[in-house]
Amino acid sequence: MSVKADPNWEPKILAFCCNWCTYTGADLAGLNRMKYPANVRVVRLPCSSRVNPQFILRAFQKGCDGVMVCGCHPGDCHYATGNYFTRRRFMLMKRLLEYNGIDPQRFQARWISGSEAAKFRDTVTRVAGEIKALGPNTRFQEKWYEEGGEAQ
Amino acid sequence: MSRIGVVVCHCGTNIAGVVDVERVAAEAAKLPNVVFAVTNKYTCSEPGQATMKAAIEEHQLDRLVICSCSPRMHEATFRRMLKDTRINPYMLEIANLREQCAWVHTDKEKATEKAIDLMRMAVAKVEQNKPLFTSTIPIHKKCLIIGGGIAGIQAALDVADAGYQVTIVEREPSIGGHMVMLDKTFPTLDCSACISTPKMVDVGQHPNITLMTSSEVVNVGGYVGSFEVTIKQKARYVDHTKCTGCGLCETKCPTKVPSEFNQGYNKRTAIYKPFAQAVPAKPVIDPDSCKMLKEGKCGVCAKVCPLGCIDFKDTAKEYTETYGAIIVATGYDLIPWQDLYGEYGGGRYADVITGLQFERLVNASGPTEGHILRPSDGTEPKDVVIIKCVGSRDPHKGKSYCSRACCMYSAKHAHQILEKLPGANVYIFYMDVRTPGKGYEEFYDRTRADGAVYIRGRVSKIYKENGKLVCKGEDTLLGKPVSVQADMVVLATAMVPAVGVEKLTTMLGIATDPDKWVQEAHPKLRPVETQTGGIFLAGTCQGPKDIPDTVAQASAAAVKVCGLFSKDEMETSPMISGVDQQKCCGCGFCVNCCPYKAISLVEIDAREGARRVKKTVASVNSGLCQGCGCCTAACRTGAIDLSGYTNAQILKEVDALCL
């Protein structure tokens, strides 16, 4: 790996959260003043099924080190069946990413309800830790190819 | 070129205490197209809003980013504020710097960096926003109620009393449902027919209620405010506009078949009213048993009818009408225990009966005029066994849920047996006794005091020996096998959703749970609504419940309908899906994944070079779409997009984070 080891490096993690469960859960974590690492940036969407696999590829391509897709628990979807589609889509997506050399830990789908503030905190903390341990993501990245680097 | 304004809120010290808001505003000012960036102590306050409004005018802003608390908190507030400015309310994005940044992080540097990222994402997104406009849909103030049991009756009366038109569709020849078949109701021992038939009469006479019996819903289209419903009325062969219900035809009809209402314990004629107090109190001809309709011979009823109401050439009719709201009140059926419980005889023993059959046997207007007699030989039983949870709480054979009413009606049956047959013995096999209701536990105590013997355990086998039904089981409190010699066994069979409910829920586009009970929108907070706007639930179609709960839910559903009907039109969210018909290839993937059946394939005229061609494309029904966006990820050509959360908006957000 030609990426220079930076002791202050912090991973950037993108979390797609559904408005009705996980985004609410994340808000509740705030209301309860829970603390978690500042690596995660949340994108608010109506439903986890709104997440197009293209968004995830784009995130990795643009330099994200990890991506999370979070929604209501299966069976509790605000839109009745949306997260069943999310689940099927991302089982497939995870395998595609793995096939392309992205560590499966960099992409996580999680079900966090509006009341599970602690679960949001714990999930974010764990995922941030795991991705920090993995180091920067270099697959797919435009910058990486532009700088003349070779794939891992 | 867009002109973006960014306002970073201190929220007192809530945000400013952790995030360097001035730095966030300074970073915002550097971004292209951001022409105005400030901080504000309390953005949501009156002065805060006034400052923003002034800035919008002064700087000719056309979109706004507010970095403050969660959009779930004040998005609506700020959209309302924008209503009387030059900015469209949907040209607003909120960066959540409080709940998801300042309150959860302690490291000021990292929190500020994150805040800048969140602000940048919001600015990138808002650049892609397009003005959106809410539209309104008209509400047809007419309510359809599917099912004429006590739930449908109560809901119909409540909606009709509020002054709205109601149509009840009932597939049987009379309304009344299961409640009218019951003898007495627990725990007060009110005569069930005496309290339900007056309500049936009210329905029949109400000027705002149209009653459609022998009818079923065959097609549903449209959406909240204007559902297009097709109702099919089966051929009744009796002209109900002329018939006075004199009943002469019924006395002369020579064909006798088992009465469904009396659970097959006596006979009815081929031209019949299901029961004496039926509403409408006019007969119909059962085409499966009528000799004239089957063999072309007889016609006695036509000869005796003084008004000439009989029409053997009658056919099914279809009616299509527009309704603003629908209440589903399809009720329940009993689990087909004969197929599941071979160890209880599987229906071979005439004296092993269901609770509903017992209700008819004990009813004064029933086949035995209220004498509890064994169906096999017409003698009085001396020893009666009642078995609870037959099919309920039994995932291996039946259903895993509790049917809720059985503990109480079994206690009532025991009470009635002990009252009507002095010296009789009643043994009740139970798993648990559940009496959650007003006066229920007291009633159970009273039944035990009457002499009912409660045995905790299940019956594993029933067999015949010396003319007795031997019930073998285990008393789990004693830890010993027990065997009771019974003359009659009453099974408290599980409630299951009414036959055919699946067809209806598919038509309506509403969800059911794994047991096929209709799914409510939220189990706690929206118990009478479905996921589909304008469709409500009442009674046991949603899950097993007793009469008080059913009636309460029916009135609740009626209030929901009245609330909807109190307005002439309804505002709809503009954040819904839309199809670019140029790009759409008509694959229909979106049609299959839509939870609301909001997308359909339509044929349009298109141009292909110089030729005019027919093209199949997807089309979104704006009244049905709830804006989840599930379809957008399924679209392979990117033709379908969700307003407010477009692909372009989200991709820009992602890009902005990774800069």
Side-chain angles (χ1 to χ4, degrees), chain B residues 522-533:
Chain B
H522 189 281
K524 304 265 183 295
L525 301 176
R526 294 170 72 197
V528 299
E529 290 156 82
T530 64
Q531 288 288 356
T532 305

Side-chain angles (χ1 to χ4, degrees), chain B residues 18-71:
Chain B
V18 180
V19 173
D20 182 350
V21 286
E22 297 299 342
R23 208 176 114 202
V24 176
E27 285 293 327
K30 291 183 201 163
L31 293 174
N33 296 339
V34 173
V35 294
F36 173 74
V38 285
T39 63
N40 195 312
K41 197 94 181 155
Y42 289 107
T43 316
C44 58
S45 66
E46 279 292 321
Q49 292 192 25
T51 321
M52 276 193 285
K53 279 185 188 173
I56 288 166
E57 274 309 311
E58 191 192 332
H59 298 275
Q60 294 288 296
L61 303 179
D62 62 3
R63 44 205 87 199
L64 188 63
V65 169
I66 300 174
C67 305
S68 60
C69 52
S70 171

Side-chain angles (χ1 to χ4, degrees), chain A residues 57-133:
Chain A
L57 293 175
R58 178 78 147 241
F60 283 126
Q61 183 191 10
K62 291 283 176 183
C64 264
D65 302 299
V67 178
M68 291 166 69
V69 172
C70 301
C72 313
H73 286 264
D76 284 348
C77 180
H78 180 80
Y79 300 102
T81 53
N83 56 8
Y84 293 134
F85 288 96
T86 312
R87 186 165 64 180
R88 277 177 235 156
R89 284 169 188 161
F90 292 110
M91 296 244 293
L92 206 62
M93 184 70 187
K94 210 172 165 76
R95 288 174 57 186
L96 175 75
L97 291 173
E98 207 176 330
Y99 175 77
N100 279 292
I102 294 221
D103 195 300
Q105 278 186 306
R106 292 194 189 276
F107 172 70
Q108 312 246 4
R110 285 283 182 278
W111 314 122
I112 301 170
S113 82
S115 61
E116 292 175 328
K119 186 174 176 187
F120 183 81
R121 176 197 60 194
D122 296 345
T123 308
V124 167
T125 311
R126 204 182 56 246
V127 170
E130 281 171 8
I131 291 173
K132 201 166 179 179

Side-chain angles (χ1 to χ4, degrees), chain B residues 62 71 106 128 135 139 153 168 189 194 215 276 312 317-318 328 354 386 409 525 555 581 601:
Chain B
D62 62 3
T106 38
Q128 303 295 322
S135 54
I139 293 174
I153 290 171
I168 301 185
L189 298 175
C194 314
S215 303
F312 290 112
K317 294 175 200 72
E318 286 197 0
V328 182
T354 66
I386 295 173
Y409 76 62
L525 301 176
S555 290
Q581 296 186 331
L601 291 177

Side-chain angles (χ1 to χ4, degrees), chain B residues 179-458:
Chain B
M179 185 180 172
V180 80
M181 296 161 93
L182 308 180
D183 177 47
K184 288 195 164 53
T185 56
F186 58 79
T188 48
L189 298 175
D190 285 309
C191 156
S192 185
C194 314
I195 55 176
S196 62
T197 50
K199 278 189 184 288
M200 291 163 59
V201 173
D202 288 349
V203 166
Q205 295 178 344
H206 205 294
N208 289 346
I209 299 179
T210 312
L211 197 52
M212 295 195 66
T213 49
S214 306
S215 303
E216 284 187 280
V217 172
V218 289
N219 193 33
V220 182
Y223 44 88
V224 54
S226 44
F227 291 103
E228 290 283 326
V229 184
T230 307
I231 300 161
K232 184 178 177 182
Q233 186 157 48
K234 288 172 260 182
R236 295 187 289 197
Y237 307 102
V238 178
D239 185 347
H240 279 202
T241 54
K242 286 194 269 177
C243 175
T244 58
C246 70
L248 197 58
C249 49
E250 289 176 71
T251 59
K252 300 293 182 198
C253 177
T255 313
K256 303 280 189 288
V257 289
S259 155
E260 294 87 355
F261 184 77
N262 280 324
Q263 299 288 301
Y265 286 143
N266 65 358
K267 304 270 187 187
R268 63 160 171 87
T269 46
I271 184 164
Y272 75 111
K273 277 189 309 196
F275 52 98
Q277 306 97 320
V279 172
K282 292 169 186 178
V284 295
I285 296 178
D286 167 15
D288 296 330
S289 50
C290 173
K291 271 192 184 148
M292 187 67 188
L293 289 168
K294 275 169 69 187
E295 299 157 24
K297 280 180 267 181
C298 184
V300 170
C301 47
K303 284 172 208 146
V304 299
C305 179
L307 294 165
C309 309
I310 313 294
D311 173 15
F312 290 112
K313 292 197 175 62
D314 194 16
T315 49
K317 294 175 200 72
E318 286 197 0
Y319 303 89
T320 302
E321 224 170 313
T322 308
Y323 295 96
I326 299 176
I327 297 179
V328 182
T330 47
Y332 71 95
D333 275 315
L334 293 178
I335 199 163
W337 70 275
Q338 292 94 333
D339 305 338
L340 302 169
Y341 286 84
E343 65 268 41
Y344 294 171
R348 277 181 295 127
Y349 307 132
D351 297 328
V352 179
I353 64 174
T354 66
L356 196 58
Q357 288 172 321
F358 182 83
E359 293 286 347
R360 295 316 301 155
L361 287 183
V362 78
N363 187 277
S365 62
T368 57
E369 294 179 341
H371 300 292
I372 301 171
L373 302 175
R374 294 189 348 148
S376 61
D377 56 8
T379 58
E380 279 189 359
K382 181 136 178 31
D383 301 300
V384 181
V385 166
I386 295 173
I387 305 174
K388 296 207 281 192
C389 300
V390 178
S392 313
R393 302 179 68 198
D394 189 355
H396 303 297
K397 295 187 84 87
K399 303 291 179 184
S400 47
Y401 54 78
C402 164
S403 289
R404 285 189 62 188
C406 333
C407 276
M408 285 311 295
Y409 76 62
S410 295
K412 184 201 69 176
H413 289 170
H415 172 84
Q416 287 179 304
I417 294 164
L418 294 167
E419 185 184 60
K420 290 205 171 186
L421 304 174
N425 300 307
V426 180
Y427 306 91
I428 301 179
F429 282 90
Y430 71 100
M431 288 165 70
D432 292 291
V433 179
R434 296 180 168 180
T435 58
K438 205 172 170 181
Y440 289 9
E441 182 70 14
E442 292 88 330
F443 187 85
Y444 162 57
D445 284 341
R446 185 171 141 199
T447 307
R448 278 190 305 173
D450 288 342
V453 180
Y454 274 75
I455 304 166
R456 188 170 191 274
R458 290 183 67 83

